Amino acid sequence: MWTAPLRGKYLVWAITACCCQGFLLLGYDQGVMSGIIGANNQFGKDFGNPDPTTQGTIVAIYDIGCAVGSLMTFFWGESIGRKRMIMAGAVTMLVGTGNGFNSSSIPVYQSETCGGMIRGTLVCLNSTVTIIGLVIAYWLDYGMSYVSGPAQWRLPIGFQAVFALCLFLQVLVLPDSPRWCMAHGRKEEGVRILAQLEDRDSIDDPVVIEKCREIEVSLAQESAGGPFRYRELLQGGPLGNIRRICLCIGINVMQQFTGSNMINYLAPVVYQNTMGLTRNLSLILGGFTSVTYMIASFIPLWTVDRFGRRVLLMTSATGLSVCFIIASILLSVGTKSAAYGATAMVFIFQIFLGIGYLPIPWLYPAEISTTRIRARGSAISSFFNWMCVFAVVEMTPPAIANIGWRVFIIFAIFNALWVPLVYIFFPETKGLELEDVDHIFEMGGITGGVWSSPGGRTVERRRIARDTEDLQENEKGAVEVRIDAAGKGDQ
């Protein structure tokens, strides 16, 4: 298949643009229903004026489709490959909705094609674009709310096809992951892609050879037990697969039980039914809430590779919990001015969400998984993500209808719990190449490497030891060559 003749940073940015397109589509889909349901509009008339429980089901059924796509990627994504799974996801989105293929495959593809020093920034850029998609959806919904007839809801829902077509055309001309190629017997293609990514003229360049050697060593260690078996995902040992899978799932469950999608999917409903605001004002505030979220999503582009994943996650969870606590207190007062204060807390909530629990759950699973289980780890984490989205979005409208603002207290407690969980169990991965992350898990246990390797100190010691060993072997080989040459000279 023909691929674009790009190299170095231009190829990396082309891949990033493609991945961003996929997440733009994801964000648009997450936001498009928020301005359509929950009102006396054309959508309500066409669908029999659904009650709060039915509204939750209408929004949440999309997440079931995404979960099914993630589950399919779990079983077949590794054999099909990153590129072709994204193409399949784009085609699926042209036919209907359900973003599971893309949400499972794009973070893996992005992580496997960029260096450790910029990986966090580039994957976080995907999350930023997700919120741009959300903003587009909110304001398109608001504009179409003044239109009568079925186009009021059909156009916003159908507009996603534009993003899906662009995604398909972009990924069509890009190379596959070099790590995936080398893991599936296509070493020559993988090395050639590595040379393109490193902007080297020859596959024999020392930088390309070193990168290739690191990947091959990692693959050899992972495949020592023969062909992949699903029970490997439950194994401990030096690779720590079960721990990696638990972390992949855990961070995505935590993301959804921050209460993020209570706001992102249902912001106008939340404003209208918990704070007593008018429908029109609720729609406007929902749009500006998403704009605030978008602005905050730019912050990790400068912080995630500087301060690391752990600090941002703990800061984010702390801020989210405090925002919901204050909002609950204000709403308990029951006055209009207190409701406006609670609205301000929702805006601040979006800022804390944007700096941590928005981007990192999409980045972290691909970072901590080995090449052998990376596609499956990302897919199973994506599956749990979408199932948790389904649970939250399904239960939120009836919960708001029954207990009102008290639903905020539930999510405040969850966010408070995430701080110690991150501190105890989640190791830091900033600045590390994917093959170097493995050394964190070699320490074993459920917390090994969490405190001894922030910033990669443990990994650096292992790298120094490895380089010293290589140097000693090279020197030994040189001595043997000189002795052998001397012996031949005596003859």
Side-chain angles (χ1 to χ4, degrees), residues 236-238 240 242-244 247 425 440-450:
I242 181 62
R243 180 183 169 198
R244 296 177 197 250
L247 293 175
F425 296 110
I440 295 174
F441 292 87
E442 288 176 357
M443 302 184 69
I446 60 174
T447 61
V450 172

Side-chain angles (χ1 to χ4, degrees), residues 111-446:
S111 296
E112 291 187 340
T113 52
C114 59
M117 298 305 296
I118 61 170
R119 183 175 59 247
T121 298
L122 294 184
V123 178
C124 286
L125 183 59
N126 294 337
S127 300
T128 299
V129 174
T130 301
I131 311 309
I132 293 175
L134 195 73
V135 171
I136 293 172
Y138 273 147
W139 287 109
L140 181 58
D141 281 346
Y142 180 72
M144 293 302 294
S145 69
Y146 292 97
V147 175
S148 59
Q152 184 186 82
W153 60 270
R154 289 183 183 273
L155 177 61
I157 292 176
F159 190 65
Q160 65 175 321
V162 175
F163 303 128
L165 179 60
C166 291
L167 174 62
F168 181 83
L169 295 176
Q170 284 175 281
V171 74
L172 187 66
V173 297
L174 292 174
D176 213 318
S177 158
R179 289 173 171 86
W180 181 84
C181 290
M182 294 177 68
H184 290 266
R186 293 160 57 175
K187 180 180 177 181
E188 183 178 346
E189 180 182 356
V191 175
R192 177 177 54 78
I193 296 171
L194 278 175
Q196 284 182 267
L197 289 168
E198 295 295 330
D199 196 11
R200 305 292 168 166
D201 294 324
S202 171
I203 61 174
D204 297 321
D205 186 277
V207 173
V208 178
I209 293 174
E210 174 63 15
K211 289 276 186 182
C212 181
R213 186 184 72 85
E214 290 178 354
I215 294 173
E216 287 183 317
V217 169
S218 180
L219 289 173
Q221 292 173 341
E222 295 167 17
S223 60
F228 176 81
R229 298 178 296 274
Y230 283 101
R231 66 172 179 266
E232 291 180 34
L233 300 176
L234 304 178
Q235 291 177 349
L239 290 178
N241 284 346
I242 181 62
R243 180 183 169 198
R244 296 177 197 250
I245 293 297
C246 287
L247 293 175
C248 289
I249 294 172
I251 198 167
N252 278 274
V253 172
M254 291 159 67
Q255 181 194 50
Q256 295 313 318
F257 282 92
T258 58
S260 58
N261 279 318
M262 177 181 69
I263 305 300
N264 295 331
Y265 275 65
L266 301 162
V269 175
V270 172
Y271 286 131
Q272 187 174 359
N273 295 349
T274 68
M275 302 177 187
L277 306 179
T278 66
R279 176 65 182 178
N280 189 62
L281 180 57
S282 296
L283 283 172
I284 294 173
L285 286 175
F288 280 110
T289 301
S290 65
V291 171
T292 303
Y293 195 17
M294 179 185 69
I295 293 171
S297 71
F298 282 92
I299 297 174
L301 300 182
W302 290 277
T303 58
V304 71
D305 284 322
R306 181 176 181 180
F307 298 107
R309 289 47 163 162
R310 283 164 53 85
V311 170
L312 294 188
L313 287 173
M314 289 188 286
T315 303
S316 178
T318 301
L320 298 177
S321 183
V322 171
C323 285
F324 273 155
I325 290 171
I326 296 175
S328 300
I329 294 171
L330 290 170
L331 289 173
S332 68
V333 175
T335 64
K336 184 66 72 174
S337 59
Y340 289 143
T343 302
M345 286 298 103
V346 174
F347 276 75
I348 298 173
F349 173 94
Q350 293 291 68
I351 295 174
F352 278 105
L353 183 61
I355 68 174
Y357 273 96
L358 163 66
I360 295 176
W362 295 112
L363 162 67
Y364 200 74
E367 286 190 316
I368 62 171
S369 301
T370 64
T371 301
R372 186 173 173 88
I373 69 166
R374 185 166 293 123
R376 295 178 177 92
S378 182
I380 197 65
S381 65
S382 178
F383 171 77
F384 274 88
N385 185 296
W386 289 116
M387 289 305 296
C388 289
V389 174
F390 171 79
V392 170
V393 176
E394 175 77 13
M395 74 181 185
T396 295
I400 290 175
N402 287 297
I403 64 174
W405 57 266
R406 294 171 183 83
V407 72
F408 289 173
I409 299 175
I410 298 172
F411 289 111
I413 294 171
F414 278 130
N415 283 305
L417 290 174
W418 302 157
V419 179
L421 285 178
V422 170
Y423 181 76
I424 295 170
F425 296 110
F426 288 76
E428 183 57 71
T429 57
K430 70 168 183 176
L432 301 178
E433 296 297 334
L434 295 179
E435 286 69 39
D436 291 329
V437 173
D438 292 346
H439 297 312
I440 295 174
F441 292 87
E442 288 176 357
M443 302 184 69
I446 60 174

